[in-house]
Amino acid sequence: MKSYRIEHSTTYTYEADVTASYGQFHLRPRDLGWQRCRSHQITVDPAPGDLFVHDDLYGNAKSYFHVTEPHRQLVVTAVSHVEVGVGGPGEEQLAVPWEQARPAVRPEQPDAWSATDFTFASPYVEVPPGIEEYTRVSFTPGRPLGEAAVDLMHRVHDDFTYKFGSTSVGTTVSTLLELRTGVCQDFSHVMLSGLRSLGLAGRYVSGYLATRPPPGKPRLVGADASHAWVGCWVPGGGWLYLDPTNAKVIDESHATVAYGRDYGDVLPVKGVIFTESKRSTMKVSVDMAPLEDSTALPTS
Amino acid sequence: MLGRYLATAGQGDVLTPEPGFDELAGPDGTPRRGWRSLLAGLERFVDGDLAHAQHEVARLLEDDNVTYTPSPGAAVSVVDDPVPAVATALAEPRPWRLDPVPLVLDDREWAGLEAGVVQRAELLDAVLADLYGPQRLLASGDIPAAAVFDHGEYLRPVVGTEALERQRLFTTAADLGRDAAGGWKVLADRTQAPSGAGFAMQNRRVVSRVVPELYHAAHLHRLTPFFQAMRTALVESAPPAVEDPRVVVLSPGPHSETAFDQAFVASLLGFPLVEGSDLTVRDGRVWLRGLGRLEQVDVILRRVDAVWTDPLELRSGSRLGTSGLLECVRQGTVSVVNTLGSGILENPALLPFLPRLSERLLGQRLRLPSVDTWWCGDRAGRSHVRAHLDELVVRPISRDAGRSVLGSALTAAQRERLLARIDAAPHRFVGQEVLPLSSAPTTVAERLVPRDVVLRCFAVRSGTSYTPMLGGLARVADQAGDRHGPLVTAPDGGLAKDVWVVSSDPVLATRVLVPRQAAGLPRSGAAPTGMVPRVLSDLFWFGRYAERAEDLLRLVLAARTVAVETDLDTTHGRALEVLLQAVTQVSTTYPGFLGRAELMPELRAMLLDRQRRGTAAQSLASLSMAAQGVRDQLSEDVWMVMAEMDRALAALAAHPDDQGLQLVDTGERVLAGLLALAGVVSENMVRDPGWYLLDAGRGLERALQVVALLRVTLDRQRAPETDRMVEEAVLTASESILTYRRRYRGRAGVEALVELLVVDQHNPRSVAYQLARVLTDLQALPTTSPTARPLRLLDTLVETVRTADPATLVVAEGGRRRGLERFLADLHDQLRDLSDAVRTQYQQQPPSQQALADTSTWGGAT
């Protein structure tokens, strides 16, 4: 079990007054079998007239706010204390032939129907021609699900170059297949598209990754970023979470915030503003600081 | 006429050798129950009566400007490649077409149909509640998850919203057709935001006026109780603890497919018609943006497809919705009906499961069957569809995937493409039987001929159940044997028919009891929606365009008179040239007569060319668009007048070689129409903020037009004879020639003209008069403070005009009246500033809306 203090701050700056700003965010780390959110605090500046929270259909905490005061800068800051352990399906469940891991053929599984929601193309994850062929290299007939999925993860990691700024949020999977570069969202979207091309259920996970400083260097505060990875449904075993950007099964360094079909379902912050401003800039800073002793944390 | 119909209908023909079911003619050639009184009336028709009725129907529909705008996307079928939505231009509204002969249903048969429609509404409501609530039907497999999760109207942000209880399936419509045995089957359910109830009412109004003798003889159930029930149900949909709820009808605007239906329903219900930008969210509630204040909204009757209603949570970038609306639904502070997400029930993949769902959820057998439907998401369904493609209609489960297609009508290539699409995502398709449909007597070229018919029935929530409309909207095919065509595959193809549910006994009273308090009067002192900035803006422009068109017509007619008097003498510097150039300059239709335009073609264009800015045709088109946007604010007489003006313009368009006679005739008829419009506005409209803005718009435009005309005609001295003709024409165009002659008796000249048209406070055509009028209008608006900018500008303007001395202004030097030129130029600028200030003060729209997203590309590599 590892503990972290995570500070995630998003700043929008406009060149003219914004008279009203409606926003939504997914920033609260989830409570899961292997993870607990000990405390969570949100600050919106200027202070919003309304701030409501509800659980969305995937169980994520989703918040709504409305800033009524004219402003030229909006800052949304979340500070969370979270404890992360390890979880995931067992060996036996991962040994199932992947063909038997399609929700459509496992109606006896109580969560198969809800996993079906993650088997289709979604707004940011199309299933273009070519992706199935790419995926089948890993998913050979009868291969155990766990093995095949981990293989796909490694291939995406190896075949795609991590390159900041080479893509944007709207880059489609078919473009990614040509570019073969991207950031964590893109790695995740490609892998999800592959899983779904075979009828498997793949969900998008947004969260944070604790980065280790290079040996001998101090940890840089604020150098971290939001992160994204992938879950693959395992009959009888929940979900297997894989991080194709770093080619590893998630561990105590991955703090989960929200699940969705793709990036669009779980945007950290989005909104609608009313302004004549032609330009706006956005700055995100994330700091994920390990805490020495998790038991010392106050509970919220 | 009837004998022949009865003898031939339902007997089969070359195209359909199997005898089909005819609505009127029974198998033995005798009329069916229910039609007798109608037939008795029709038998008295003599030659020409039917054609006359058809003509009258078309005229009345035109008078009320009843239109339907085909959606550009509706032309795209599921085998076509999708068209980019942005590239398609706005479609032109099409006249609504209606047959004078109704579809008659006897009330014994109707009773079964009605019970089926009501039961179906209850069933769909229960399904909706589950899909957006506990989803037990998905967990149990009663409804396959794939049929729901991959449907375009499954709105994930709505799932789990507790406050939906009161606002689930508010109203629904079912499209029905008959099978070979004459039984009704449901072709499709309309649950998103059903349209057509307003059209049904309009059909009834028109038919009852055109064939009153038939209408009164039939013991016919009325439609009004349905609208009373709808009104009651809207009030009852309000969040708890709201005592006197404010209800609005949310429309996508005058360009939408069923804009007429929306506006008409709103006016029948007596609730304001609003657009998304008229609403705003604050303090977790929805408000109607008023003039200087916000009015809380409790219930929204939604005619905007759900995904467009909230750019924050649903479709980003939508201009038809209101940010935060869904959050207000979640907070329970507003009820939106039909609830957001109700479009999922239009999903034809649900149809095969309804009989079982009915047993399970209602404990009842499903009364009204659906057309036989095979969902390709299950293996058996898919192989059936593949094997029987030629006999089936293939429909995508989501409407946004395109129109359905008839298997037998596909080319080999289309067939391949369709099968490939089905194989790629089988759960997105269903195959459906092609219903034989029944035929109904339809007027075609003075005869009654059998045409295939489909029927739309409506139901609205009433307590825990539903109240049906005792009637409906029928559509018949345009062509014989066209049952496979647009009637079934396009949502609104064909010709409309009124639907008469007749009783063998006189219909005594309405069958719907309306609780007194619910049907009560609107709250006193409630702000009229004349206060919404968009509405004020539309009314302001209504006033301006009406005046602009009128002034241009007067000028064109005056120029035409000069043309006749001078035998078309367009010599440089002569009166005709001056006036023709004035036409171009005042209307800003450059280059026109400043270029090489020819007399008649250019004058015709001033009346007819809708594409050119500044023409009368364009002003009238803009006037019509402004009027559409505020249809619920206007007297219905407005449409009659506008239709008459359209007819006058059509008459001119029909004479391409006209040398001026028709031009004058059309011009005078349109002018008469515009005067009638002014009369309607003056005599029939309540003096609310909207009216004052309309009147201010008219006054401002008139002042601007007079100033513009004087600027280009009195700027210089010309030969005395030319000046005399120009001045007379200016006075004629300004409708002040009689006053001028009476008052000045020939003395006079430019000075008198300036006095009469600019500074005279008593001439209703003068600038001074308009300024006083605008001042009165603005002061009547509740939010005008004495220091508001428009009033300050008006003060200056009034002063400019009051202190003007015509005698000094008109002094010419070297042939040019520079003093007058400067004065008029200044006046023109001040008037334009005033117009801008009025718009800013009263019609201020919210700043533009932008999406705000975390557009960062994330890191995460270690």
Side-chain angles (χ1 to χ4, degrees):
Chain A
M1 200 60 115
K2 292 242 169 75
S3 297
Y4 303 95
R5 177 187 182 277
I6 303 168
E7 182 168 336
H8 180 165
S9 156
T10 310
T11 306
Y12 291 94
T13 312
Y14 316 102
E15 61 180 21
D17 273 357
V18 169
T19 51
S21 175
Y22 298 87
Q24 273 200 340
F25 51 80
H26 284 102
L27 291 168
R28 185 189 193 280
R30 292 187 64 134
D31 288 316
L32 301 162
W34 66 93
Q35 174 176 304
R36 267 193 77 76
C37 178
R38 286 290 184 184
S39 73
H40 176 69
Q41 259 193 328
I42 286 281
T43 328
V44 180
D45 179 34
D50 297 308
L51 182 60
F52 303 124
V53 192
H54 73 278
D55 282 351
D56 72 12
L57 82 161
Y58 301 127
N60 309 308
K62 181 166 150 188
S63 305
Y64 161 95
F65 68 89
H66 178 199
V67 176
T68 51
E69 197 179 305
H71 57 279
R72 292 197 175 197
Q73 176 170 295
L74 176 74
V75 188
V76 180
T77 306
V79 177
S80 314
H81 286 139
V82 62
E83 291 171 359
V84 188
V86 283
E91 292 292 329
E92 195 181 323
Q93 287 126 357
L94 290 173
V96 63
W98 68 265
E99 292 90 340
Q100 294 304 308
R102 293 165 164 147
V105 302
R106 300 304 295 269
E108 85 290 352
Q109 293 292 332
D111 60 342
W113 70 274
S114 57
T116 307
D117 198 10
F118 301 97
T119 59
F120 307 111
S122 56
Y124 285 88
V125 177
E126 42 151 14
V127 181
I131 189 70
E132 181 178 347
E133 196 189 346
Y134 179 84
T135 310
R136 278 194 186 270
V137 174
S138 302
F139 284 77
T140 52
R143 194 174 186 187
L145 174 68
E147 203 182 302
V150 168
D151 187 63
L152 178 64
M153 170 185 80
H154 280 288
R155 285 180 50 240
V156 170
H157 177 261
D158 295 346
D159 292 347
F160 289 72
T161 311
Y162 184 89
K163 196 166 158 197
F164 192 80
S166 63
T167 55
S168 71
V169 288
T171 308
T172 60
V173 172
S174 49
T175 308
L176 294 172
L177 284 177
E178 282 170 31
L179 287 176
R180 301 272 169 149
T181 64
V183 295
C184 62
Q185 291 133 307
D186 305 313
F187 280 66
S188 301
H189 283 163
V190 168
M191 191 163 163
L192 289 172
S193 178
L195 293 172
R196 293 178 194 176
S197 73
L198 300 179
L200 298 165
R203 60 157 62 147
Y204 182 97
V205 188
S206 83
Y208 305 105
L209 176 66
T211 49
R212 259 184 238 113
K217 299 272 177 71
R219 208 183 61 85
L220 290 173
V221 173
D224 303 324
S226 298
H227 191 40
W229 57 92
V230 166
C232 174
W233 184 66
V234 181
W239 296 76
L240 170 64
Y241 292 105
L242 301 169
D243 178 354
T245 315
N246 297 299
K248 65 181 192 181
V249 178
I250 66 159
D251 61 21
E252 290 172 315
S253 58
H254 290 78
T256 300
V257 173
Y259 300 132
R261 289 168 302 153
D262 57 33
Y263 163 79
D265 279 346
V266 291
L267 272 161
V269 182
K270 72 165 182 174
V272 172
I273 54 173
F274 288 86
T275 181
E276 300 305 336
S277 173
K278 296 278 179 283
R279 276 165 48 102
S280 66
T281 53
M282 191 202 63
K283 200 171 139 278
V284 176
S285 91
V286 174
D287 184 57
M288 186 166 177
L291 298 176
E292 288 309 314
D293 184 1
S294 68
T295 53
L297 273 175
T299 50
S300 60
Chain B
M1 177 170 70
L2 290 166
R4 186 152 144 207
Y5 186 90
L6 288 167
T8 54
Q11 302 304 308
D13 55 27
V14 186
L15 286 169
T16 48
E18 291 291 306
F21 187 100
D22 188 75
E23 295 293 338
L24 163 57
D28 54 355
T30 58
R32 291 185 194 277
R33 228 182 100 85
W35 287 83
R36 283 183 200 130
S37 82
L38 182 74
L39 290 183
L42 281 174
E43 262 157 17
R44 283 193 289 276
F45 271 39
V46 294
D47 269 0
D49 278 1
L50 201 54
H52 177 72
Q54 200 174 17
H55 181 80
E56 279 298 287
V57 163
R59 192 185 62 81
L60 288 174
L61 289 170
E62 206 174 270
D63 279 352
D64 283 351
N65 195 31
V66 185
T67 57
Y68 170 79
T69 309
S71 138
V76 181
S77 89
V78 70
V79 292
D80 297 324
D81 287 321
V83 281
V86 278
T88 44
L90 288 170
E92 284 281 312
R94 247 179 13 198
W96 182 250
R97 297 184 306 134
L98 172 66
D99 187 29
V101 178
L103 172 69
V104 178
L105 293 167
D106 148 48
D107 67 356
R108 281 197 223 156
E109 181 185 16
W110 175 262
L113 194 54
E114 174 185 307
V117 168
V118 167
Q119 183 204 44
R120 198 171 179 95
E122 291 175 1
L123 174 60
L124 291 175
D125 180 53
V127 170
L128 185 66
D130 183 73
L131 291 181
Y132 286 100
Q135 302 194 327
R136 287 190 201 100
L137 298 173
L138 296 176
S140 64
D142 285 295
I143 296 176
V148 171
F149 289 149
D150 205 23
H151 191 274
E153 286 295 328
Y154 175 62
L155 302 186
R156 290 172 179 77
V158 179
V159 176
T161 303
E162 288 166 20
L164 291 184
E165 214 32 47
R166 284 177 317 279
Q167 31 184 315
R168 283 167 6 198
L169 189 61
F170 174 77
T171 180
T172 178
D175 284 342
L176 300 132
R178 289 201 203 252
D179 63 15
W184 289 103
K185 279 187 169 180
V186 176
L187 291 157
D189 295 292
R190 303 274 165 215
T191 58
Q192 168 74 261
S195 65
F199 283 127
M201 188 66 182
Q202 178 69 21
N203 291 347
R204 176 63 54 87
R205 281 191 177 186
V206 168
V207 169
S208 63
R209 273 180 67 183
V210 172
V211 287
E213 67 282 15
L214 305 183
Y215 175 76
H216 291 298
H219 300 148
L220 171 63
H221 287 285
R222 305 293 192 235
L223 302 184
T224 35
F226 178 78
F227 293 95
Q228 289 163 356
M230 184 178 272
R231 194 172 199 287
T232 304
L234 282 168
V235 169
E236 285 173 354
S237 300
V242 176
E243 290 210 343
D244 189 8
R246 171 174 290 280
V247 183
V248 298
V249 179
L250 179 65
S251 159
H255 293 289
S256 80
E257 285 171 64
T258 58
F260 170 83
D261 188 60
Q262 295 156 15
F264 193 54
V265 166
S267 63
L268 282 171
L269 295 171
F271 294 130
L273 186 69
V274 306
E275 293 175 26
S277 61
D278 299 337
L279 303 176
T280 186
V281 167
R282 241 188 130 88
D283 305 330
R285 293 175 179 282
V286 180
W287 307 83
L288 186 60
R289 228 187 267 280
L291 193 56
R293 63 174 170 163
L294 297 172
E295 282 277 328
Q296 191 179 322
V297 172
D298 307 299
V299 181
I300 297 172
L301 175 60
R302 170 174 72 83
R303 291 298 296 269
V304 176
D305 283 0
V307 294
W308 299 101
T309 54
D310 184 351
L312 177 63
E313 286 204 67
L314 299 167
R315 187 156 307 177
S316 175
S318 167
R319 305 268 155 188
L320 305 178
T322 309
S323 288
L325 179 65
L326 177 49
E327 187 65 35
C328 295
V329 170
R330 207 174 268 133
Q331 297 299 323
T333 56
V334 70
S335 298
V336 177
V337 296
N338 283 346
T339 187
L340 302 173
S342 62
I344 187 72
L345 299 171
E346 297 190 355
N347 181 352
L350 299 178
L351 297 177
F353 305 97
L354 290 184
R356 225 183 111 192
L357 290 167
S358 180
E359 302 281 353
R360 167 131 194 230
L361 296 171
L362 306 179
Q364 297 168 11
R365 184 184 55 83
L366 185 65
R367 287 165 173 270
L368 197 55
S370 320
V371 287
D372 291 346
T373 301
W374 293 268
W375 180 50
C376 298
D378 70 47
R379 204 174 288 275
R382 182 172 160 195
S383 48
H384 181 92
V385 171
R386 289 194 70 103
H388 299 87
L389 195 58
D390 286 344
E391 302 149 34
L392 300 173
V393 170
V394 175
R395 251 177 98 183
I397 66 169
S398 288
R399 260 213 272 182
D400 54 11
R403 202 160 47 77
S404 37
V405 291
L406 189 74
S408 61
L410 297 175
T411 64
Q414 287 176 326
R415 196 186 161 89
E416 284 309 300
R417 200 177 323 157
L418 179 61
L419 287 173
R421 283 184 187 177
I422 294 178
D423 284 343
H427 62 281
R428 290 188 187 161
F429 295 89
V430 297
Q432 293 186 310
E433 76 172 302
V434 181
L435 270 190
L437 300 182
S438 56
S439 55
T442 304
T443 316
V444 174
E446 299 200 32
R447 279 180 50 211
L448 288 179
V449 295
R451 287 285 182 265
D452 293 331
V453 63
V454 295
L455 168 64
R456 181 173 291 188
C457 291
F458 301 88
V460 67
R461 199 168 181 89
S462 174
T464 56
S465 183
Y466 288 81
T467 294
M469 175 189 280
L470 300 178
L473 177 61
R475 290 179 293 126
V476 286
D478 278 314
Q479 305 293 323
D482 198 23
R483 69 184 51 137
H484 310 146
L487 203 54
V488 176
T489 52
D492 297 278
L495 175 71
K497 264 180 176 298
D498 190 13
V499 177
W500 289 9
V501 177
V502 300
S503 166
S504 35
D505 311 310
V507 178
L508 289 177
T510 63
R511 282 171 48 186
V512 180
L513 295 176
V514 181
R516 185 182 289 265
Q517 72 281 8
L521 293 166
R523 68 175 105 185
S524 54
T529 29
M531 314 266 281
V532 176
R534 175 189 54 82
V535 170
L536 294 177
S537 171
D538 278 343
L539 289 168
F540 179 73
W541 283 103
F542 183 98
R544 288 198 63 173
Y545 282 121
E547 182 65 28
R548 190 175 295 179
E550 180 186 329
D551 294 346
L552 179 58
L553 283 168
R554 288 187 188 283
L555 182 55
V556 165
L557 291 173
R560 159 75 193 167
T561 306
V562 171
V564 171
E565 280 176 18
T566 62
D567 292 331
L568 307 181
D569 175 10
T570 50
T571 313
H572 179 61
R574 295 272 170 83
L576 182 55
E577 190 206 33
V578 173
L579 286 165
L580 292 179
Q581 293 191 348
V583 167
T584 300
Q585 288 170 303
V586 171
S587 63
T588 67
T589 50
Y590 300 106
F593 291 113
L594 293 182
R596 298 213 178 130
E598 286 182 46
L599 180 69
M600 278 316 295
E602 182 67 7
L603 287 184
R604 284 173 67 84
M606 289 297 106
L607 266 67
L608 293 178
D609 190 347
R610 292 178 61 161
Q611 310 303 324
R612 227 166 114 191
R613 276 182 63 89
T615 64
Q618 198 252 349
S619 292
L620 290 171
S622 303
L623 172 66
S624 173
M625 193 43 75
Q628 290 282 8
V630 291
R631 186 162 193 134
D632 62 328
Q633 303 282 312
L634 296 175
S635 157
E636 288 189 24
D637 294 347
V638 164
W639 304 104
M640 200 165 64
V641 174
M642 304 251 259
E644 178 49 30
M645 292 194 283
D646 280 347
R647 284 181 203 122
L649 291 172
L652 176 60
H655 288 86
D657 299 323
D658 169 53
Q659 290 306 308
L661 272 179
Q662 186 61 48
L663 179 94
V664 171
D665 181 60
T666 289
E668 284 174 348
R669 276 169 71 190
V670 174
L671 199 55
L674 288 162
L675 293 176
L677 206 57
V680 171
V681 166
S682 146
E683 299 300 319
N684 300 359
M685 278 180 70
V686 171
R687 297 318 192 240
D688 62 8
W691 187 89
Y692 288 113
L693 256 288
L694 191 163
D695 195 62
R698 198 177 250 283
L700 255 170
E701 183 70 27
R702 185 173 293 174
L704 277 162
Q705 292 287 332
V706 168
V707 170
L709 180 59
L710 297 182
R711 277 179 85 179
V712 296
T713 48
L714 303 189
D715 57 332
R716 63 187 69 213
Q717 261 181 331
R718 302 182 181 83
E721 176 59 13
T722 303
D723 267 352
R724 188 193 61 77
M725 287 185 89
V726 169
E727 285 158 22
E728 281 218 345
V730 166
L731 285 161
T732 306
S734 311
E735 189 52 23
S736 299
I737 187 80
L738 294 180
T739 315
Y740 179 84
R741 287 187 185 138
R742 204 168 48 238
R743 194 184 287 178
Y744 301 100
R745 300 179 188 278
R747 170 181 72 84
V750 179
E751 181 190 337
L753 205 153
V754 171
E755 186 177 299
L756 186 58
L757 292 182
V758 179
V759 301
D760 186 335
Q761 295 182 28
H762 303 289
N763 178 11
R765 295 275 156 181
S766 77
V767 175
Y769 187 94
Q770 307 318 318
L771 296 177
R773 169 189 196 172
V774 173
L775 184 63
T776 311
D777 289 334
L778 297 188
Q779 282 173 337
L781 290 167
T783 55
T784 306
S785 81
T787 55
R789 184 151 184 271
L791 293 195
R792 283 185 278 127
L793 292 174
L794 260 171
D795 278 350
T796 317
L797 262 165
V798 168
E799 198 57 17
T800 307
V801 170
R802 196 183 61 80
T803 55
D805 173 23
T808 324
L809 285 174
V810 301
V811 171
E813 278 174 58
R816 300 206 47 171
R817 300 194 180 98
R818 297 194 190 277
L820 185 61
E821 271 186 274
R822 271 195 303 275
F823 170 75
L824 291 172
D826 173 48
L827 212 50
H828 200 261
D829 290 347
Q830 289 196 43
L831 284 164
R832 292 185 66 147
D833 285 350
L834 174 60
S835 172
D836 289 345
V838 168
R839 287 164 64 188
T840 311
Q841 175 88 17
Y842 303 103
Q843 306 156 33
Q844 190 67 59
Q845 304 280 0
S848 61
Q849 160 197 316
Q850 297 173 19
L852 171 85
D854 183 339
T855 50
S856 60
T857 44
W858 300 350
T862 51

